[in-house]
Amino acid sequence: MAAAFLRLIGLVVSGYIIFHPPWMRRKLLPWLSAAIVNVLFPLYYISRYGISWDDAFSRGAHWMPLFFVMCVVTIYLQYLLVLWLLKHTRIFSSLQEENKSEFILLFAIHNVGYVPLPILEAIAPEPILIFLFTYVMAYQLIFWSFAVNIIKRVPGEPLQMRFRLTIPFVGIASGIVLAATGLYDHIPRIIASPVEQYSRFAMDGIMIVLGGILAGVPHESLTRHREFGPFLLVRQVLYPLVVLLAMLSLRLLFGGPSLLPGEPMTMADTWRWMQLFLVIEAAVPPATNIMIAIQNYGRPEQLPYSGSGIILSYLGAAVTLPLFVVLGYYL
């Protein structure tokens, strides 16, 4: 797990160093970002779904729609929660109208896969990792279609949630159709093999692009937004704590006693791993894809604010996330 985190940090730092010169950010970064989002991402989704679909399906077809729905419900609840907090409380009273869209995204859209995956890979049984596949699928569908509306919102105007067709969404939908119908297996290997091999660089490439975007975030903006303090407390401490307490209550009511890791996935064990999974998903920081989407679909002035929020939330997660992993695992 530590090695995986160090690798991610290394990629981001590399991107920061490469794109630190302003001329590199102006000339190369937009092209690299667009190529990854509009070419490598769609190919990655198509190949990943084609490779993993049968394994996920064979582990229990009923779990796939369940994890899909869990992701949709989780993100929707987080979206409703931040809207309620903004409307009915003064916790984030320092938030300016021009930063509202980015703040909503930072609160509602969490890092569903790239941070939880190395953690679960180290401590969770294989079925949990396979079902994460459908959880991430739901996230990608939501993010690359409806979440773009939040990015494109004009300050001062009401948010209009409508479906937007983006190239990453087309890649996701194509991957699902090809995998579910079995057509992916009929793609000639002379085509499928290089796509599977080189599309894997999409995840590494996007972390390098993230580092480049963060290199353009003004350092003074890190201390200019007072609402990030309450954000860290509510979103990365109180919210995962509520999820943990809710799952403990549900386990007492329906799950029975906990079982040790490595034993068969009985009902009690399933509740235990579900608790760990949901607590981790609640405690992770915002999605790094927010910066990538703003780079491609938003306005340049949105980047400093969202970049500041992501930097501070990841620094906070370095303390809070390990704590909730331990609590979710051992309680």
Side-chain angles (χ1 to χ4, degrees), residues 68-272:
F68 188 97
V69 171
M70 276 199 306
C71 181
V72 174
V73 171
T74 297
I75 292 178
Y76 186 59
L77 287 177
Q78 290 166 182
Y79 172 69
L80 292 180
L81 176 59
V82 67
L83 292 185
W84 187 88
L85 290 172
L86 289 173
K87 183 176 181 180
H88 297 287
T89 74
R90 296 191 53 81
I91 297 175
F92 309 116
S93 58
S94 60
L95 177 64
Q96 301 297 311
E97 177 63 30
E98 61 265 24
N99 298 322
K100 189 174 180 180
S101 295
E102 301 93 279
F103 187 86
I104 291 172
L105 276 177
L106 292 171
F107 196 103
I109 309 292
H110 62 289
N111 193 317
V112 304
Y114 220 68
V115 171
L117 183 58
I119 300 173
L120 293 169
E121 216 168 25
I123 59 179
E126 185 179 358
I128 296 296
L129 300 179
I130 293 176
F131 299 138
L132 179 61
F133 159 79
T134 49
Y135 193 93
V136 174
M137 182 196 304
Y139 159 79
Q140 299 291 359
L141 290 171
I142 294 169
F143 186 88
W144 292 112
S145 54
F146 294 101
V148 176
N149 291 282
I150 302 177
I151 295 172
K152 286 182 168 290
R153 171 184 172 269
V154 177
E157 293 186 1
L159 180 63
Q160 297 179 352
M161 293 302 289
R162 62 179 183 272
F163 176 80
R164 290 181 183 269
L165 187 65
T166 63
I167 295 178
F169 179 87
V170 172
I172 296 166
S174 301
I176 294 172
V177 171
L178 291 173
T181 60
L183 292 175
Y184 184 84
D185 296 331
H186 296 284
I187 298 176
R189 294 308 302 170
I190 195 173
I191 297 175
S193 293
V195 168
E196 292 170 2
Q197 179 179 355
Y198 292 111
S199 64
R200 292 176 179 268
F201 292 109
M203 292 297 126
D204 292 344
I206 213 64
M207 300 306 289
I208 293 174
V209 168
L210 175 63
I213 295 173
L214 293 176
V217 175
H219 293 171
E220 62 271 15
S221 67
L222 291 175
T223 58
R224 201 167 54 195
H225 306 289
R226 290 180 297 170
E227 63 270 17
F228 285 143
F231 172 88
L232 293 177
L233 175 62
V234 174
R235 183 61 182 81
Q236 294 181 218
V237 178
L238 297 180
Y239 175 67
L241 181 61
V242 170
V243 172
L244 174 62
L245 294 175
M247 289 305 300
L248 286 172
S249 300
L250 289 173
R251 279 179 55 202
L252 290 174
L253 290 174
F254 304 110
S258 301
L259 299 179
L260 295 175
E263 296 186 15
M265 292 280 286
T266 65
M267 181 59 71
D269 205 28
T270 299
W271 274 103
R272 181 175 182 270

Side-chain angles (χ1 to χ4, degrees), residues 10 12 38 48 57-59 61 66 102 151 183 200 279 309 320:
V12 175
N38 296 315
R48 192 57 20 211
F57 200 85
S58 65
R59 294 285 180 171
L66 175 60
E102 301 93 279
I151 295 172
L183 292 175
R200 292 176 179 268
V279 168
T320 60

